[in-house]
Amino acid sequence: MSTATIRIPTPLRSFTGGADEVTVGADTVRGALDALGERHDGLIPRILTETGEARPFVNIYLGSKNVKTLDGLATTIADGDVVSIIPAVAGGRS
Amino acid sequence: MSAKDRRLAELRGSIPEIDPIDAAALQARGAVLIDVREPDEIAAGSPVGAERIVRGFLELKVENAVPDPKTTVLCLCAGGVRSLFAAEGLRTLGYEDVRSVRGGFNRWKTDQLPIEVPARLDDDARERFSRHMLMPEVGEKGQLRLLESKVLCIGAGGLGSPVALYLAAAGVGTIGIVDDDVVDRSNLQRQIVHTDARVGESKVSSARETLTALWPKANVVGFETRLTSDNVDEIFGQGWDVVVDGSDNFPTRYLVNDACVKHAIPNVHGSIFRFEGQATVFWPTRPAADGQRGPCYRCLYAEPPPPELAPSCAEAGVLGVLPGVIGLLEAVETVKIVLGIGKPLVGRLLTYDALEQRFTELQLEPDPGCAYCAPGKPFPGYVDYVQACAAPAAVAAATS
Ligand SMILES: [Zn+2]
């Protein structure tokens, strides 16, 4: 099992008690998200659909790469990897 | 024989001369034609596509115009004499194939070869943009490009304020602003293009006042309306070189994206939330010669989030300085695109965390199945999404 850091975007930090990073142990990106969800209730439905796929307005990155361009959520992770959750953000004018 | 005539005879013996018609043909095949006459002579006309470097500065400036000493260089003056001296100077500098145009611009005109009256910076512009002119990457040519450019800003709010202000300062000649809002006192914590005295005034007219106070010649084109599928084509179809998205809601962002794809306009994107921001350039129609095609917004996020999963807009809050950081990244990208210099933020998402003071770069890939930007697909039409903004109560329930 590898230890990875998950970066939590501001809109979802209310689910992690304000934490901007959560460190988890897992073998894959999906495993990392599962571990995150076990610790922080209500967060995963914001990121994944009921069938466990990334929602269309959320992208998940491993390092600088979108996991879509790798093996999706099955992408394996190594020690020290950074998983970023990047939701669509609209703000700007107001 | 006078000393001058002796010297000219010497030069005619060593510098090859070429007739204007042959010079024009060589120019069409990649040779560089340099008009070495004085600015007041050139103001009345000059060969189309010529570099214009006054004789006195020729050796000092030629390398910016002609970096490769193997390039064929054709010198032109009014009558074909000064160009002999110019050609010799370039030869001494190491240019291998330098020729002088026989009969100069007078013959060029008589032979009815193409001429143009070059656009010139006036004295005000020359002084105002002097720090741009000093850089070879901009110079007079680049500044003229900025002056002729048209940039459309979506929103004159947090992002649009610094964008429009710096674009006007940089000399972007025409700045369009789409905004249907009026200035509110709570805007002034970040929307620096407005003032306390203009609370209650339309944002478009308030922005125009600030921009023209900075640069009276700025042409500010206002659209005091909300962007919809009904007006987006009319507004975007006015020859904009770049669109800068500083909107605050998903329906507008998707309209901006879809219209930029349809009209093949680079879309400089920025968004902010509390202490975090993102910037990128969506430009799927970027000419292939410039590199790989980038994604559009829909390649990243095919659909906006439903209201119950979107962060509340009204309650979100934002650090007042943050849109300055992200807006200026957008302004930098815009100026680079207009000038055609540097590496645009295409296919790269720059995220910024103000609390950590950290920038992260993520790679963005175009979606080969994207309904909007994948090559060969018909334009699927605009979508008027309902404002996907959760009511404060729903967010409170969802986040409690
Ligand atoms: Zn696309």
Side-chain angles (χ1 to χ4, degrees), chain B residues 78-393:
Chain B
V81 174
R82 278 175 289 169
S83 55
L84 283 167
F85 289 95
E88 197 200 30
L90 293 183
R91 229 191 213 186
T92 311
L93 214 54
Y95 287 88
E96 295 166 14
D97 182 12
V98 190
R99 310 183 203 181
S100 170
V101 179
R102 190 180 289 125
F105 186 61
N106 293 335
R107 273 261 323 264
W108 186 284
K109 265 195 311 193
T110 324
D111 291 353
Q112 300 192 328
L113 293 165
I115 66 170
E116 63 189 355
V117 175
R120 278 186 71 196
L121 296 179
D122 60 24
D123 291 342
D124 173 88
R126 211 162 274 285
E127 185 180 359
R128 181 179 300 268
F129 305 117
S130 59
R131 296 305 184 277
H132 271 166
M133 312 272 282
L134 289 170
M135 297 189 293
E137 293 83 354
V138 186
E140 179 159 1
K141 225 189 233 175
Q143 192 61 53
L144 284 164
R145 259 172 111 154
L146 285 166
L147 291 168
E148 284 157 14
S149 69
K150 296 179 70 177
V151 175
L152 180 65
C153 298
I154 311 300
L159 292 170
S161 286
V163 170
L165 201 50
Y166 266 95
L167 292 185
V172 167
T174 301
I175 299 172
I177 299 178
V178 186
D179 204 310
D180 67 337
D181 211 358
V182 295
V183 180
D184 186 90
R185 188 158 281 113
S186 69
N187 298 151
L188 301 175
Q189 163 250 25
R190 62 203 176 284
Q191 301 184 15
I192 55 166
V193 84
H194 308 303
T195 67
D196 194 72
R198 297 201 291 263
V199 167
E201 216 179 280
S202 101
K203 284 190 177 176
V204 164
S205 77
S206 169
R208 180 185 287 116
E209 257 185 78
T210 297
L211 301 184
T212 53
L214 178 65
W215 179 34
K217 287 184 181 159
N219 176 27
V220 180
V221 181
F223 301 92
E224 294 190 28
T225 179
R226 192 168 187 82
L227 211 56
T228 66
S229 59
D230 288 332
N231 63 21
V232 68
D233 274 332
E234 193 200 320
I235 294 172
F236 277 54
Q238 298 184 15
W240 306 104
D241 298 299
V242 182
V243 169
V244 185
D245 189 356
S247 62
D248 61 354
N249 62 85
F250 287 112
T252 305
R253 287 204 183 271
Y254 280 87
L255 272 179
V256 169
N257 177 74
D258 299 350
C260 281
V261 171
K262 182 176 175 190
H263 293 267
I265 310 171
N267 172 11
V268 178
H269 173 97
S271 65
I272 49 175
F273 190 84
R274 293 190 180 169
F275 292 97
E276 273 189 311
Q278 308 179 346
T280 186
V281 175
F282 295 118
W283 195 0
T285 53
R286 187 179 179 215
D290 289 355
Q292 199 208 343
R293 91 176 185 98
C296 78
Y297 190 53
R298 286 191 189 267
C299 292
L300 263 69
Y301 304 112
E303 298 283 334
E308 67 275 15
L309 293 176
S312 158
C313 313
E315 306 278 293
V318 65
L319 181 70
V321 187
L322 180 73
V325 175
I326 300 299
L328 292 191
L329 291 173
E330 294 187 273
V332 167
E333 288 306 303
T334 303
V335 168
K336 278 164 55 189
I337 292 170
V338 169
L339 292 175
I341 59 172
K343 192 178 164 198
L345 208 46
V346 170
R348 298 182 286 153
L349 179 73
L350 201 56
T351 68
Y352 173 64
D353 183 331
L355 288 178
E356 300 288 327
Q357 203 60 277
R358 178 173 60 198
F359 283 96
T360 307
E361 190 177 309
L362 304 170
Q363 290 176 30
L364 305 180
E365 313 279 343
D367 176 357
C370 177
Y372 281 78
C373 77
K377 292 207 179 182
F379 185 73
Y382 296 114
V383 185
D384 282 306
Y385 293 106
V386 178
Q387 167 65 334
C389 201

